[in-house]
Amino acid sequence: MSAQAEPKQPPSSPVETGTAMTDLTKPVVAADGAGAPSAQPHGANRVEPKVTTTDVKVFYGSSEALHGIQTEIPANQVTALIGPSGCGKSTFLRCLNRMNDTIEGARVTGKILMDGEDIYDKSLDVVLLRARVGMVFQKPNPFPKSIFENIAYGPRIHGLAKSKGELADIVERSLKRAGLWDEVKDRLKEPGTGLSGGQQQRLCIARAIAVSPEVILMDEPCSALDPIATARIEELIDELRRNYTIVIVTHSMQQAARVSQKTCFFHLGDLVEEGDTDQIFTNPRDKRTQDYITGRFG
Amino acid sequence: MSEHTVASFDAELQELRRSIMEMGGIAEKMLADATVALVRRDVGLAQSVVTSDYRLDTIQRDIEEKAILTIARRQPMAIDLREVISAIRIASDIERIGDMAKNISKRTLAISGQFEPQRVVLGVERMSDMVLGQLKDVLDAYTTLDVDKALEVWRRDGATDALYNSLFRELLTYMMEDPRNITFCTHLLFCAKNVERIGDHTTNISETIHYLVTGQPITAERPKMDRTAYETGQPEQAGGAAGA
């Protein structure tokens, strides 16, 4: 989990990874997070939505980027956010783990409830929230450390492992879940940055999983990858949804159609249409959705 | 529908539509000619119907190929996807319609020179005219994307089936009256069946148009009135399910 690294990144440049190293050395507020909610991860078999948003607006200075988003993110499903550039989908994604907090002049209004709990509540520990809501970025951004350390870092600072052996277990389990174990098990001490792009991205997913999040946010996780690496990530996403709730921003309509169960179409800061992915891609109701997914604008 | 950002995509879809319309035109003419050839015992005309089926098959293969290429190239979504899938479906329906028209003409060639009770032939003609109307209207509905018109054709097919039932009985009667009629009547029966099947294909096309425009399949039961599968050949038991 790279929760401590990411908040520094402005939304305009999710690829920016330079801050990761410095953050590694920073004292971490929630290092004692033994009783973190993430101790009992992911609400499997939930009937109710994992996240509910009500009238969420985001302002950058005086301009309103999101105009009152009302939706539900179903638990243990993949929800795809699609829309043309600048439509607000990434901004919305960033509301879900309060990444917008870190942006100068950004203001979020409305309510976002996760399991019924207001994530913008003043008493809520943002660092813990970001452990519960992990994030994977467009460009893989492993820490410039060993593969092992990349994964072990989060669990260690959150106090999730009581012994070295336990930590090693978490690392192995996370890498296995991310489908990377077999490829890297013999070179855990090598730097994570030495892996291929696709492997790096799976390393980042393993890193996000390592702190047992409940929700994983993905911001165009495959846009920097080749088709094979993309296919592996998509396969992985499908497996992960058994244990996690996933929200993915993607510019590839085909990818949204392949991996998600629910799709939300954003346009000019509005949530224009949401529904079952199958319905959105074969028979959308709104003309703007239709025009976008069929390549008539955007 | 407004235009795609990629103009050649529009061109591909338009080409598909154009080809379907061309097929429709050929099939219409084939059915009309096959019917005239049957009624007038026009061997030359029947021959030409048989020949034109080749053209229909060629265009159908061409449509299928283009549709597959479009899917591979563009990964069409929503209305575009339905457009491509509908083109494949309608092309194969029209191709079948062509086969049936051709079959009618082949039978026309087979029975030429035999005795025929003109009354039954006229029955087939009447039925064929009805179906030809259905075919025309459904192709219009496709051109204009008119769901109401498509649904109207869909409902009309029940009447064709009813007419086929009565023709079926009439032909049975002729055959029972005089065994020398059997060859001719059997051919004619198959002709009538072919026309009835063409009606079913126009119903298929109506359903495809409904799906194309609305994105929803027609879920209602078809107006099926073809009861001949239950006929026993004994008038007093007609309509019973004994022979099924």
Side-chain angles (χ1 to χ4, degrees):
Chain A
M1 179 60 208
S2 51
Q4 288 65 41
E6 262 91 55
K8 294 228 151 173
Q9 299 172 352
S12 51
S13 58
V15 296
E16 218 256 325
T17 56
T19 55
M21 185 63 217
T22 40
D23 284 350
L24 277 173
T25 59
K26 260 176 142 184
V28 177
V29 191
D32 62 330
S38 50
Q40 64 260 7
H42 38 69
N45 301 324
R46 241 172 228 292
V47 186
E48 72 266 32
K50 183 72 189 170
V51 180
T52 311
T53 75
T54 314
D55 198 28
V56 170
K57 292 181 182 170
V58 177
F59 300 86
Y60 292 124
S62 59
S63 79
E64 191 178 306
L66 277 184
H67 315 307
I69 304 301
Q70 195 114 352
T71 190
E72 289 180 348
I73 310 288
N76 294 98
Q77 286 196 8
V78 179
T79 302
L81 311 181
I82 60 167
S85 297
C87 68
K89 56 191 188 302
S90 291
T91 299
F92 179 69
L93 189 77
R94 279 148 197 286
C95 290
L96 302 178
N97 68 347
R98 292 185 56 173
M99 297 274 283
N100 288 325
D101 290 16
T102 60
I103 297 157
E104 192 85 16
R107 192 157 55 83
V108 179
T109 66
K111 253 197 163 44
I112 301 180
L113 304 180
M114 190 163 117
D115 294 335
E117 187 188 349
D118 187 350
I119 66 166
Y120 278 81
D121 191 287
K122 289 207 166 50
S123 64
L124 186 124
D125 184 335
V126 180
V127 175
L128 285 186
L129 172 72
R130 293 191 189 128
R132 292 172 68 192
V133 185
M135 191 143 186
V136 176
F137 291 85
Q138 182 170 18
K139 201 172 142 200
N141 55 352
F143 303 138
K145 296 225 162 198
S146 72
I147 293 170
F148 184 92
E149 276 307 310
N150 261 280
I151 313 293
Y153 176 70
R156 189 182 291 137
I157 59 158
H158 284 289
L160 296 181
K162 291 187 187 68
S163 64
K164 269 196 163 168
E166 217 173 300
L167 191 61
D169 280 349
I170 292 177
V171 170
E172 181 174 340
R173 198 171 54 236
S174 304
L175 284 169
K176 276 184 172 158
R177 277 212 171 146
L180 193 60
W181 177 249
D182 289 337
E183 290 159 63
V184 302
K185 62 172 185 256
D186 299 323
R187 46 172 173 150
L188 293 174
K189 291 202 168 68
E190 289 173 27
T193 47
L195 296 169
S196 75
Q199 288 172 327
Q200 285 189 23
Q201 195 61 303
R202 278 180 282 144
L203 182 68
C204 292
I205 292 173
R207 185 176 65 186
I209 298 170
V211 290
S212 301
E214 297 158 57
V215 180
I216 303 175
L217 309 178
M218 299 187 172
D219 197 349
E220 297 183 52
C222 300
S223 59
L225 305 181
D226 71 28
I228 303 293
T230 299
R232 299 201 63 163
I233 300 281
E234 286 179 6
E235 173 68 17
L236 176 60
I237 290 171
D238 200 49
E239 278 165 25
L240 291 177
R241 84 181 160 90
R242 264 181 263 147
N243 298 307
Y244 311 96
T245 297
I246 296 170
V247 186
I248 178 171
V249 165
T250 174
H251 272 135
S252 160
M253 238 77 74
Q254 279 71 34
Q255 179 168 70
R258 284 190 300 258
V259 303
S260 71
Q261 286 75 51
K262 173 176 174 167
T263 297
C264 301
F265 170 64
F266 286 78
H267 186 229
L268 301 173
D270 282 311
L271 174 56
V272 170
E273 183 169 354
E274 59 176 327
D276 286 350
T277 296
D278 293 349
Q279 175 248 318
I280 296 279
F281 287 104
T282 58
N283 193 18
R285 297 203 173 85
D286 194 283
K287 188 173 179 306
R288 288 166 291 176
T289 316
Q290 170 110 292
D291 284 352
Y292 179 67
I293 65 172
T294 57
R296 285 175 170 85
F297 78 77
Chain B
M1 185 98 286
S2 54
E3 289 189 348
H4 284 96
T5 310
V6 183
S8 52
F9 190 3
D10 283 319
E12 283 175 25
L13 291 177
Q14 267 159 27
E15 175 58 21
L16 278 177
R17 288 190 74 81
R18 198 203 54 72
S19 300
I20 294 277
M21 288 170 204
E22 187 185 350
M23 278 188 85
I26 295 173
E28 256 181 66
K29 185 164 187 310
M30 280 173 75
L31 177 59
D33 287 354
T35 310
V36 171
L38 176 69
V39 174
R40 295 196 196 141
R41 310 260 208 124
D42 185 335
V43 174
L45 190 59
Q47 203 69 264
S48 82
V49 172
V50 174
T51 322
S52 40
D53 188 49
Y54 174 77
R55 174 84 187 122
L56 215 49
D57 291 355
T58 312
I59 307 177
Q60 192 236 344
R61 272 198 300 277
D62 187 50
I63 287 176
E64 226 166 69
E65 206 168 297
K66 278 181 188 146
I68 288 170
L69 274 177
T70 301
I71 293 172
R73 263 202 293 256
R74 316 282 180 196
Q75 292 97 51
M77 291 282 193
I79 180 73
D80 300 334
L81 180 58
R82 302 204 302 269
E83 181 87 63
V84 174
I85 297 299
S86 299
I88 296 175
R89 276 201 213 155
I90 294 176
S92 89
D93 274 318
I94 300 179
E95 190 272 330
R96 289 299 295 151
I97 289 174
D99 287 347
M100 310 218 154
K102 178 173 82 171
N103 191 270
I104 293 171
S105 283
K106 277 184 169 171
R107 290 177 191 282
T108 302
L109 297 173
I111 58 178
S112 66
Q114 289 187 35
F115 155 81
E116 66 180 73
Q118 195 64 14
R119 218 167 68 81
V120 234
V121 177
L122 291 179
V124 176
E125 184 188 29
R126 196 150 64 87
M127 194 173 145
S128 177
D129 286 345
M130 279 172 71
V131 170
L132 192 60
Q134 280 174 232
L135 181 58
K136 248 191 191 80
D137 286 350
V138 89
L139 291 170
D140 284 352
Y142 175 72
T143 314
T144 54
L145 296 176
D146 185 341
V147 185
D148 293 334
K149 196 165 195 172
L151 279 175
E152 190 258 324
V153 172
W154 188 79
R155 287 189 205 99
R156 232 154 76 194
D157 195 48
T160 315
D161 289 346
L163 190 54
Y164 173 67
N165 288 348
S166 70
L167 263 175
F168 180 87
R169 286 207 197 94
E170 207 172 337
L171 284 165
L172 274 189
T173 315
Y174 278 112
M175 289 192 251
M176 284 186 279
E177 268 172 14
D178 187 345
R180 279 175 299 175
N181 287 342
I182 288 179
T183 308
F184 171 76
C185 284
T186 305
H187 279 300
L188 213 54
L189 186 58
F190 273 113
C191 288
K193 185 66 195 170
N194 280 327
V195 174
E196 190 269 332
R197 293 289 299 141
I198 292 175
D200 289 346
H201 283 289
T202 65
T203 316
N204 284 351
I205 297 174
S206 308
E207 286 172 357
T208 303
I209 294 170
H210 187 273
Y211 171 73
L212 168 61
V213 177
T214 67
Q216 304 289 335
I218 298 180
T219 46
E221 189 75 8
R222 277 193 180 197
K224 259 278 158 226
M225 286 160 110
D226 176 3
R227 305 281 306 166
T228 55
Y230 307 112
E231 287 289 349
T232 59
Q234 272 132 26
E236 65 272 17
Q237 281 178 21

